[in-house]
């Protein structure tokens, strides 16, 4: 029994077995691990002693006894001690069930031992000469992974292509290699056709060499149209070398010499496109794609613009209708397609694209004459194939855990959903697959992999390493394939050893991932049902509940299902859940409901929102994002000041960008009670890799820690959005008419306004202000309220108030007038700066201002359309226009655009607050400086004073008053610091690197 459960472990043999794979959250298996490490070190020692033992010692006893030797080893020992201490203090505790952040967990002991035992020998898998043992291990591992996917690895099976796989440093490189292969394969027929032209080295074959096009009857290769060449089936392309050999006895070396001249890797993509008059071709992948995909398109010359994103559904899976539409467009317009990527476990959401549908579309469009590869990006999801039962076929029913036996153990196994199982099964029909053992196989970095259904595809990217290999490249020199040259044999050995020890089937990794899947379901249940209407927050999972999918779904029915989860799952031990299920009918079991919750593959994306004190749900996306970001900062580490050992529960976050997630993100906003706008949405995520959290319902402790943080941060968000009266400060402008311009702050609702008000001052105060302004025209004049007031009430009632006027110049503040009576005369502009009222982009060709005052006394204030931003205000500006300004236009405020300067190119402004204010004020090169002239256009502002954005700079329907020149006077105000300041910011980011550097300096001092 453990601290967290009262079920005897011998009642759960599956969990017993899994417990032997890892060092353990509390190093429970330390002695076993230590014993194996010592065994490895003994083996290393014996290997060195056994190699020509008569050579004798090279490091003698006398050398080891010397002062220099001892000092050196002492320094290293001290540095090791210090580094080990600092690693323990500052490293993330991936091994703990409290960690639910990224794709990181305790590494399997077989993987660690495999890596450690090999690392000491340091084999380089670029060539068998540098890695005889680990090269064979890599070949074996490649076969094992191919077999796991359902590929054929039996040379005697002539009915299926012979697969091939190898280890790379990670999924990014595997994806890049797959793009490289897809590009080269698409151009290979063009290279052959070019070589078959008159006087070409293959011209002799042109009259007789035939091939089967994608559509139609067999025909001479030389008679194929460019479109037909671009759409040969992959198998037909890969057969070309063998068919040339069979028909003409063409040797591989001769064909290789031809391709060195005509192939894309030599002649270039540009040359072949020019020769065959080709336009750009497309690559299709879900909008949830990993960043490696556009990167690969850029590296291979395809261009990231042609790595086309396909829309996703509400569960972040690729939308087959949108994919079909894009493929049909390519067919109709004869635009070739390299490949379609199916993501098998998206990095952010654990979503599995409907591979069955993608394979079906491939077959359908091939029949129409459009051929392309299908690649499975299973970096995360690949190892989940081990959960498929032996002999699994689509449509087969997988029983619930409670129907597999007594289920008295503390961590039941769970199967995947039927759709997910069938899409995993369909990987055997993909052309290539990316997999990352350093993710769901619990193997150390760097360990990725790439498997080809037809192993001949690897010859599309063959290169040699002449500085190591001698003579002909053999089948065992696998370093010549792919992108990498040198690569660690230790990563290969770690993968092979872990695969071999745990097993690539339902009784090995399948059991481990089965327990983890159950853990994921239990966390999904928490995110689905932990919050009620009485909580000050909302927690909402991305993946909808079963009741939300039904045609007759209502909020009441959804809440009823949430309550069912609370009653049957939350606060229950695993044993209680299983036991209580025994008396329930099959379609009403808690385990069935659990299996329906959450994502496809063990990543829970969810988000939170908060309520005002009266229970009203916040509807502003920016404020929900702020809430989520603060929670994540509390539950993650990004500074040396953060103490990993003090963080009780680890999560991570991502952002659903509207241009990528589209309706998926907007639908999620609605479920969170948020206004549907163009603001991106911050989403939390937890990757479940540990089988431990549900042991004795330890998960309840984690959720309680999460709840505490949510409650704390709701208080901050309520304060941040409080609109109760407070003191306000304004910029004072004008001589003939007096204006106050509110100092806005994006991070406080009571100051989140762009407000320009015309006021009247008491006669004595007005005289003092004008005299001071005349004496010191470059000074900044401000007006501060002496009592608390609310801006909304001030504007609505045009109230009066008492204030103090100050002037600020050269770092000094002087009181100009005190106890000033101020009366609101009119409101020129009153714009809320809430997130949903702001634009998504800064102005690209202009800088916009409000223009107000009188024809002889003009003022301007920068229009704030986005955050962060900068306040630029100036009075007594000189304006020469092609047409006179009317007093009525100036009274309500016009829109002035400085032409020929891009605000977008300068945002966000890089400045700090110095002793004299914003440092940009003192910058002699800053564009907004006294005496500077600008070309401008002025438009009528047809909107009411209180009309919010977005789109307030759209002047298409506004009258152009005139064009002309603006000259700034001496009075100006610049601030890019205070308006963007967050008074609740948890930490500053600028000094983080320096702080980390100090940590490493501690180790360096041990070596001095």
């Amino acid at each position: 029994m453990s601290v967290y459960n009262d079920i005897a472990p011998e009642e759960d043999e599956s969990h017993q077995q899994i417990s032997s794979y890892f060092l353990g959250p509390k190093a429970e298996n330390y002695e076993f691990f230590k014993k194996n490490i010592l065994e490895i070190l003994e083996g290393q020692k014996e290997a060195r002693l056994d190699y020509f033992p008569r050579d004798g010692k090279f490091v003698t006893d006398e050398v080891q006894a010397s002062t220099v030797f001892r000092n050196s080893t002492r320094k290293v020992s001290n540095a090791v001690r210090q580094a080990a201490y600092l690693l323990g203090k500052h490293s993330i505790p991936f091994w703990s069930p409290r960690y639910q952040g990224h794709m990181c967990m305790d590494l399997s002991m077989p993987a660690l031992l495999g890596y450690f035992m090999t690392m000491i020998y340091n084999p380089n898998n670029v060539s068998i000469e540098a890695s005889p043992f680990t090269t064979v291990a890599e070949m074996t591992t490649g076969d094992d992974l191919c077999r796991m996917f359902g590929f054929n690895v039996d040379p005697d099976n002539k009915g299926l292509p012979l697969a091939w796989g190898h280890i790379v440093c990670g999924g990014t490189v595997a994806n890049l290699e797959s793009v490289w292969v897809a590009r080269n394969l698409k151009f290979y027929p063009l290279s052959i056709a070019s070589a078959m032209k008159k006087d070409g080295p293959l011209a002799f074959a042109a009259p007789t060499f035939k091939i089967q096009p994608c559509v139609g009857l067999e025909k001479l290769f030389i008679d194929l149209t460019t479109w037909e060449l671009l759409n040969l089936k992959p198998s037909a392309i890969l057969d070309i070398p063998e068919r040339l050999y069979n028909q003409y006895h063409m040797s591989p070396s001769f064909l290789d010499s031809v391709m060195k001249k005509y192939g894309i890797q030599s002649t270039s993509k540009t040359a072949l496109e020019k020769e065959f008059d080709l336009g750009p071709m497309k690559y299709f992948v879900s909008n949830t794609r990993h960043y490696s995909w556009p990167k690969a398109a850029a590296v291979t010359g395809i261009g990231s613009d042609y790595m086309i994103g396909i829309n996703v559904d509400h569960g972040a899976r690729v939308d087959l209708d949108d994919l079909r539409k894009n493929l049909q467009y390519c067919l109709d317009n004869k635009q070739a397609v390299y490949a379609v990527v199916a993501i098998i476990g998206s990095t952010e959401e654990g979503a599995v694209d409907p591979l069955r549908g993608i394979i079906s579309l491939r077959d359908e469009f091939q029949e129409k004459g459009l051929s392309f590869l299908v690649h499975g990006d299973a970096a995360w999801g690949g190892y989940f194939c081990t959960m498929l039962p032996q002999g699994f076929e689509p449509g087969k029913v997988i029983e619930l855990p409670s129907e597999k036996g007594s289920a008295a153990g503390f961590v039941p196994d769970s199967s995947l959903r039927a759709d997910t199982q069938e899409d995993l099964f369909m990987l055997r029909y993909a052309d290539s697959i990316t997999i990352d053992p350093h993710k769901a196989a619990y193997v150390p970095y760097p360990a990725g992999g790439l498997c080809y259904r037809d192993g001949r595809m690897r010859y599309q990217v063959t290169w040699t390493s002449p500085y190591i290999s001698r003579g002909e490249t053999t089948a065992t020199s696998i370093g010549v394939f792919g992108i990498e040259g040198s690569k660690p044999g230790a990563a290969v050995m770690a993968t092979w050893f872990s695969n071999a020890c745990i097993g690539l089937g339902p009784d090995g990794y399948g059991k481990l991932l089965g327990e983890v899947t159950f853990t994921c379901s239990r966390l999904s249940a928490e995110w689905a049902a932990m919050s009620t209407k009485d909580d000050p927050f909302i927690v909402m999972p991305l993946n909808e509940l079963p009741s939300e999918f039904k045609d007759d779904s209502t909020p009441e029915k959804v809440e009823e299902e949430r309550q069912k989860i609370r009653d049957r799952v939350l606060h229950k031990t695993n044993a209680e859940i299983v036991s209580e299920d025994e008396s329930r009918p099959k379609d009403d079991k808690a385990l069935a409901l659990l299996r329906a919750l959450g994502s496809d593959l063990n990543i829970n994306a969810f988000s939170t929102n908060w309520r005002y004190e009266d229970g009203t749900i916040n509807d502003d996306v920016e404020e929900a994002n702020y809430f989520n970001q603060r929670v994540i900062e509390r539950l993650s580490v990004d500074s040396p000041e953060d103490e990993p050992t003090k963080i009780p529960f680890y999560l991570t976050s991502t952002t659903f960008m509207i241009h990528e997630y589209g309706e998926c993100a907007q639908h999620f906003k609605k479920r969170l009670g948020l206004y549907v706008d163009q603001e991106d949405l911050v989403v939390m995520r937890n990757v479940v890799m540990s089988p431990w959290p549900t042991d004795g319902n330890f998960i309840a402790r984690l959720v309680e820690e999460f709840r505490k943080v949510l409650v704390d941060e709701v208080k901050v968000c309520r304060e941040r959005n409080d609109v109760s009266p407070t003191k306000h400060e304004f910029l004072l402008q004008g001589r003939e008419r007096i204006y106050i311009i509110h100092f806005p702050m994006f991070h406080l609702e009571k100051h989140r306004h762009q407000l320009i008000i015309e006021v009247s001052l008491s006669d004595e105060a007005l005289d003092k202000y004008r005299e001071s302004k005349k004496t010191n025209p470059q000074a900044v004049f401000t007006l501060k309220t002496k009592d608390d007031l609310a801006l909304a009430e001030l504007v609505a009632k045009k109230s009066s108030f008492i204030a103090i006027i100050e002037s600020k110049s050269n770092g000094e503040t002087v009181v100009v007038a005190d106890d000033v009576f101020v009366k609101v005369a009119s409101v020129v502009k009153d714009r809320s700066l809430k997130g949903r009222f702001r634009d998504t982009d800064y102005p690209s060709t202009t800088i916009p201002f409000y223009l107000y005052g009188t024809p002889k006394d003009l003022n301007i204030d920068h229009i704030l359309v986005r955050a962060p931003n900068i306040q630029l205000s100036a009075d007594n500006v000189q304006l020469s226009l092609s047409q006179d300004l009317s007093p009525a236009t100036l009274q309500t405020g016009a829109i002035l655009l400085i032409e020929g300067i891009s605000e977008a190119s300068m945002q966000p402004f890089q400045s700090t607050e110095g002793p004299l204010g914003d440092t940009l004020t003192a910058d002699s090169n800053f564009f907004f400086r006294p005496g500077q002239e600008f070309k401008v256009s002025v438009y009528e502002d047809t909107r009411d004073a209180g009309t919010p954005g977005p789109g307030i700079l759209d002047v298409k329907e506004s009258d152009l008053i005139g064009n002309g020149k603006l000259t700034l006077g001496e009075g100006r105000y610049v601030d890019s610091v205070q308006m963007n300041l967050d008074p609740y910011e948890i930490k500053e980011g600028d000094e983080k690197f320096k702080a980390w550097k100090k940590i490493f300096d501690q180790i360096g001092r041990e070596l001095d």
Side-chain angles (χ1 to χ4, degrees):
M1 300 183 186
S2 75
V3 175
Y4 303 107
N5 77 84
D6 54 5
I7 303 297
E10 60 269 14
E11 296 179 23
D12 187 352
E13 292 184 359
S14 174
H15 196 65
Q16 266 184 6
Q17 180 179 327
I18 290 165
S19 297
S20 73
Y21 297 157
F22 301 98
L23 184 56
K26 296 298 181 183
E28 294 90 342
N29 294 327
Y30 170 78
E31 290 300 327
F32 303 112
F33 187 64
K34 177 181 176 182
K35 178 182 178 183
N36 286 310
I37 289 291
L38 292 176
E39 194 73 35
I40 291 169
L41 292 175
E42 283 296 319
Q44 171 70 196
K45 174 186 172 184
E46 292 302 319
R48 297 183 182 221
L49 292 175
D50 288 346
Y51 184 66
F52 289 90
R54 293 185 179 180
D55 286 348
K57 288 185 177 181
F58 293 88
V59 182
T60 64
D61 294 341
E62 290 76 13
V63 169
Q64 291 179 328
S66 67
T67 301
V68 172
F69 184 96
R70 285 185 294 173
N71 286 342
S72 178
T73 55
R74 186 180 65 253
K75 285 182 180 180
V76 172
S77 294
N78 291 340
V80 166
R81 188 180 304 107
Q82 182 70 4
Y85 165 75
L86 292 172
L87 273 169
K89 180 179 179 181
H90 295 285
S91 292
I92 309 300
F94 297 133
W95 58 79
S96 172
R98 292 182 179 272
Y99 185 84
Q100 298 290 326
H102 293 277
M103 294 171 175
C104 301
M105 213 280 282
D106 204 358
L107 299 171
S108 82
M109 284 198 292
L112 286 170
L113 295 169
Y115 199 99
F116 184 73
M117 73 172 71
T118 313
M119 173 186 69
I120 307 173
Y121 295 92
N122 197 30
N124 181 356
N125 270 41
V126 70
S127 166
I128 195 168
E129 294 179 3
S131 55
F133 188 82
T134 53
T135 289
V136 177
E138 182 168 355
M139 296 171 64
T140 303
T141 301
D143 282 352
D144 291 342
L145 294 175
C146 287
R147 188 182 296 107
M148 180 184 73
F149 289 130
F151 289 168
N152 172 46
V153 293
D154 181 5
D156 296 328
N157 183 353
K158 305 301 182 182
L160 292 171
L162 186 65
W164 185 85
H166 69 136
I167 298 298
V168 297
C169 67
T172 294
V173 168
N175 288 340
L176 172 56
E177 183 181 324
S178 76
V179 174
W180 190 16
V181 167
R183 185 202 71 169
N184 289 3
L185 192 70
K186 186 63 72 174
F187 279 89
Y188 190 82
L190 302 179
S191 299
I192 295 294
S194 181
M196 279 190 181
K197 291 179 179 179
K198 185 178 179 180
D199 298 328
L202 299 183
F204 69 89
T208 55
F209 186 66
K210 294 183 177 183
I211 199 166
Q212 176 71 51
C214 191
V215 175
L217 301 175
E218 186 179 66
K219 60 198 299 188
L220 286 174
F221 191 92
I222 200 66
D223 290 340
L224 293 176
T225 65
T226 300
W227 177 250
E228 288 175 320
L229 287 169
L230 289 171
N231 286 285
L232 291 174
K233 293 181 179 179
S235 58
I237 299 172
L238 296 170
D239 283 343
I240 289 174
E242 186 175 356
R243 293 188 61 229
L244 289 172
Y245 173 79
N246 291 336
Q247 194 167 343
Y248 307 103
H249 301 288
M250 189 180 299
S251 69
S253 59
F254 176 77
L255 183 58
D256 184 56
S257 69
V258 171
M259 294 309 295
K260 283 181 178 177
K261 181 177 180 182
Y262 289 86
I264 185 173
Q265 309 221 108
S266 302
T267 190
S268 84
K269 173 173 170 285
T270 302
L272 286 169
E273 286 174 334
K274 182 177 180 181
E275 180 180 350
F276 288 90
D277 192 25
L278 300 178
M281 296 181 248
K282 291 183 176 180
Y283 222 109
F284 292 114
V285 61
S286 161
N287 270 331
T288 63
R289 64 189 178 271
H290 189 260
Y291 62 80
S292 60
W293 288 105
K295 184 187 293 186
V299 170
T300 55
I302 290 172
S304 61
D305 285 351
Y306 295 97
M307 184 65 69
I308 307 299
I310 301 298
N311 293 336
V312 294
D313 63 17
H314 291 171
R317 305 174 192 91
V318 75
D319 183 337
L320 289 176
D321 290 337
D322 191 44
L323 177 58
R324 175 186 291 279
K325 182 179 71 175
N326 276 274
L327 290 172
Q328 188 64 47
Y329 176 89
C330 290
L331 179 63
D332 294 342
N333 292 275
K334 290 197 174 337
Q335 187 172 21
V337 176
Y338 291 106
V340 173
V341 179
I343 300 175
I344 310 300
S346 56
T347 304
E348 310 295 355
E349 312 84 12
V352 173
D353 285 340
L355 184 55
R356 291 165 296 164
I358 292 172
I359 295 294
S360 178
L361 284 174
R362 178 188 67 184
D363 297 342
E364 174 188 333
F365 277 89
Q366 276 187 343
E367 292 180 0
K368 298 177 181 179
L370 181 70
S371 180
F372 50 84
L373 295 174
V374 171
H375 177 81
D377 184 355
W380 170 243
Y383 271 84
F384 287 86
C385 287
T386 61
M387 292 180 66
L388 296 178
Q390 295 292 340
F392 173 81
E393 294 287 345
K396 187 173 181 179
V397 177
I398 307 299
E399 300 297 342
L400 293 170
S402 59
E403 296 166 326
K404 288 183 177 180
S406 66
F410 37 78
V411 186
D413 300 335
S414 180
S415 61
L416 299 169
R417 288 198 286 264
D419 286 348
T420 305
Q421 290 172 331
E422 294 186 7
D423 287 321
L424 288 173
F425 179 84
M426 292 300 290
L427 278 169
R428 66 195 60 210
Y429 299 112
D431 295 291
S432 54
I433 302 171
T434 291
I435 186 169
D436 269 352
H438 64 216
K439 289 187 172 75
Y442 306 85
V443 170
Y445 295 105
L450 182 63
C451 296
Y452 297 106
R453 183 171 184 267
D454 191 328
R456 295 175 297 175
M457 291 177 70
R458 70 187 186 274
Y459 294 108
Q460 292 293 320
V461 290
T462 301
W463 225 266
T464 57
S465 301
Y467 76 99
I468 289 182
S469 295
R470 296 197 306 269
E472 292 293 323
T473 298
T474 64
T476 51
S477 291
I478 58 177
V480 300
F481 302 112
I483 294 166
E484 296 166 293
S486 298
K487 58 182 181 180
V492 171
M493 190 64 175
T495 305
W496 174 79
F497 201 60
S498 193
N499 289 350
C501 291
I502 295 176
L504 293 177
D507 291 329
Y509 273 107
K511 280 188 176 181
L512 169 57
L513 294 174
E515 287 199 5
V516 173
T517 298
F518 180 81
T519 301
C520 182
S521 295
R522 290 218 55 178
L523 272 169
S524 300
E526 296 287 349
W527 308 145
M530 69 173 286
S531 57
T532 70
K533 61 182 178 60
D534 297 322
D535 285 311
F537 56 81
I538 294 172
V539 180
M540 186 68 64
L542 169 69
N543 299 98
E544 295 175 90
L545 301 181
S547 58
E548 294 181 85
F549 288 108
K550 294 180 179 179
D551 293 336
D552 62 346
S553 177
T554 63
E556 292 74 22
K557 290 181 178 179
V558 174
E559 179 55 34
E560 183 181 330
E561 187 168 41
R562 287 197 175 103
Q563 188 58 49
K564 185 177 180 181
I565 295 170
R566 295 182 194 114
D567 295 339
R568 297 187 176 187
V569 178
L570 306 194
H571 310 298
K572 300 276 188 179
T573 66
N574 296 338
E576 288 171 336
I577 293 173
V578 173
S579 175
E580 292 172 7
D581 256 3
E582 291 178 357
S583 60
R584 296 181 183 128
K586 186 173 183 178
D587 60 353
D588 192 38
K589 292 184 183 294
L591 287 170
L593 179 56
L594 273 171
R595 190 163 68 175
L597 300 179
S599 71
D600 300 326
L601 293 180
N602 293 13
I603 298 176
N604 289 316
F606 62 101
S607 196
T608 63
N609 197 4
W610 55 276
R611 297 179 188 270
Y612 289 92
E613 288 190 26
D614 64 0
T616 304
I617 300 172
N618 162 62
D619 67 354
D620 190 270
V621 177
E622 183 174 67
E623 293 308 297
N625 286 345
Y626 184 83
F627 180 51
N628 281 284
Q629 286 167 337
R630 285 190 64 89
V631 171
I632 285 299
E633 285 186 19
R634 292 273 301 275
L635 300 177
S636 60
V637 169
D638 64 353
S639 168
E641 283 72 37
D642 297 331
E643 296 186 60
T645 57
K646 299 294 177 62
I647 295 176
F649 183 35
Y650 281 85
L651 294 172
T652 185
S653 66
T654 186
T655 301
F656 280 15
M657 296 182 179
I658 296 300
H659 73 275
E660 292 178 350
Y661 283 81
E663 178 56 27
C664 174
Q666 302 293 37
H667 182 66
F668 199 13
K669 287 179 185 178
K670 293 176 186 176
R671 294 171 60 225
L672 284 159
L674 297 171
Y675 186 85
V676 177
D677 57 14
Q678 294 305 303
E679 186 87 9
D680 299 332
L681 182 67
V682 174
V683 175
M684 298 188 198
R685 57 191 279 268
N686 73 278
V687 179
V688 186
M689 295 184 69
S690 174
W692 316 114
T694 65
D695 185 350
N697 202 20
F698 182 72
I699 202 169
R701 297 185 176 207
L702 305 182
V703 173
E704 186 55 35
E705 298 287 357
F706 183 54
R707 176 181 290 274
K708 290 176 184 176
V709 174
L710 291 175
V711 171
D712 286 347
E713 297 307 328
V714 166
K715 295 175 184 176
V716 173
C717 289
R718 286 176 176 175
E719 287 181 19
R720 171 184 162 93
N721 286 274
D722 176 44
V723 292
S724 61
T726 188
K727 292 180 175 60
H728 291 273
E729 185 174 9
F730 302 84
L731 178 68
L732 194 58
Q733 283 185 333
R735 290 181 173 85
E736 294 183 359
R737 291 179 180 270
I738 308 302
Y739 297 89
I740 57 174
I741 294 83
H742 178 249
F743 289 133
M745 293 183 71
F746 286 112
H747 289 279
L748 289 175
E749 177 59 25
K750 59 183 64 178
H751 299 293
R752 201 179 285 144
H753 288 264
Q754 182 160 21
L755 180 61
I756 303 172
I757 303 176
E758 182 184 353
V759 298
S760 62
L761 306 177
S762 55
D763 292 343
E764 181 181 1
L766 180 61
D767 290 342
K768 289 181 178 180
Y769 161 66
R770 284 174 172 165
E771 179 62 29
S772 184
K773 185 80 171 172
K774 181 179 180 181
T775 304
N776 194 4
Q778 80 281 359
V780 173
F781 289 84
T782 63
L783 182 146
K784 295 179 181 179
T785 65
K786 300 199 76 171
D787 298 314
D788 293 344
L789 58 84
L791 290 181
E793 184 177 346
L794 177 69
V795 170
K797 297 182 178 181
K798 295 185 179 179
S799 310
S800 59
F801 57 92
I802 304 300
I804 180 171
I805 298 175
E806 296 177 340
S807 70
K808 300 176 181 179
S809 179
N810 297 321
E812 295 183 2
T813 300
V814 176
V815 176
V816 175
D818 201 354
D819 294 325
V820 179
F821 180 80
V822 183
K823 180 74 171 72
V824 174
S826 66
V827 177
V828 181
K829 300 296 174 188
D830 176 27
R831 284 185 48 231
S832 170
L833 297 178
K834 278 180 176 287
R836 67 170 174 265
F837 298 136
R838 302 200 294 262
D839 291 356
T840 56
D841 298 301
Y842 295 104
S844 59
T845 59
T846 62
I847 302 180
F849 289 82
Y850 286 123
L851 175 67
Y852 48 95
T854 68
K856 294 183 179 180
D857 186 20
L858 294 171
N859 312 282
I860 58 174
D861 188 48
H862 179 222
I863 301 176
L864 308 173
V865 299
R866 234 194 124 185
N869 218 304
I870 186 170
Q871 186 166 11
L872 303 169
S873 304
D875 59 6
N876 195 30
V877 300
Q878 303 302 307
L879 182 62
S880 173
L881 275 186
S882 57
Q883 185 173 327
D884 291 338
L885 286 162
S886 70
T889 295
L890 290 172
Q891 187 170 357
T892 57
I895 293 177
L896 179 147
L897 303 179
I898 293 180
E899 306 283 359
I901 301 180
S902 169
E903 179 176 335
S905 69
M906 295 187 283
Q907 291 280 14
F909 285 86
Q910 302 297 312
S911 63
T912 57
E913 188 173 30
L916 301 181
D918 195 303
T919 52
L920 288 174
T921 305
D923 186 349
S924 61
N925 294 316
F926 187 52
F927 81 97
F928 199 74
R929 59 185 183 272
Q932 186 70 16
E933 296 181 352
F934 302 101
K935 179 182 176 183
V936 298
S937 300
V938 179
Y939 293 84
E940 294 276 2
D941 188 356
T942 58
R943 299 170 181 81
D944 293 335
T947 302
I952 59 172
L953 296 184
D954 184 0
V955 294
K956 294 177 183 176
E957 304 299 323
S958 301
D959 292 334
L960 173 66
I961 296 174
N963 301 309
K965 181 178 71 173
L966 173 78
T967 304
L968 293 182
E970 292 184 85
R972 61 168 184 155
Y973 177 76
V974 178
D975 168 49
S976 63
V977 178
Q978 289 300 316
M979 73 178 331
N980 301 307
L981 184 67
D982 179 4
Y984 300 101
E985 188 171 24
I986 294 176
K987 59 173 76 77
E988 290 286 346
D990 295 341
E991 297 298 316
K992 288 176 183 175
F993 177 79
K994 292 179 181 178
W996 282 116
K997 182 71 168 57
K998 291 178 181 177
I999 296 297
F1000 281 88
D1001 289 344
Q1002 293 181 39
I1003 303 173
R1005 284 193 291 271
E1006 297 293 344
L1007 296 172
D1008 291 339

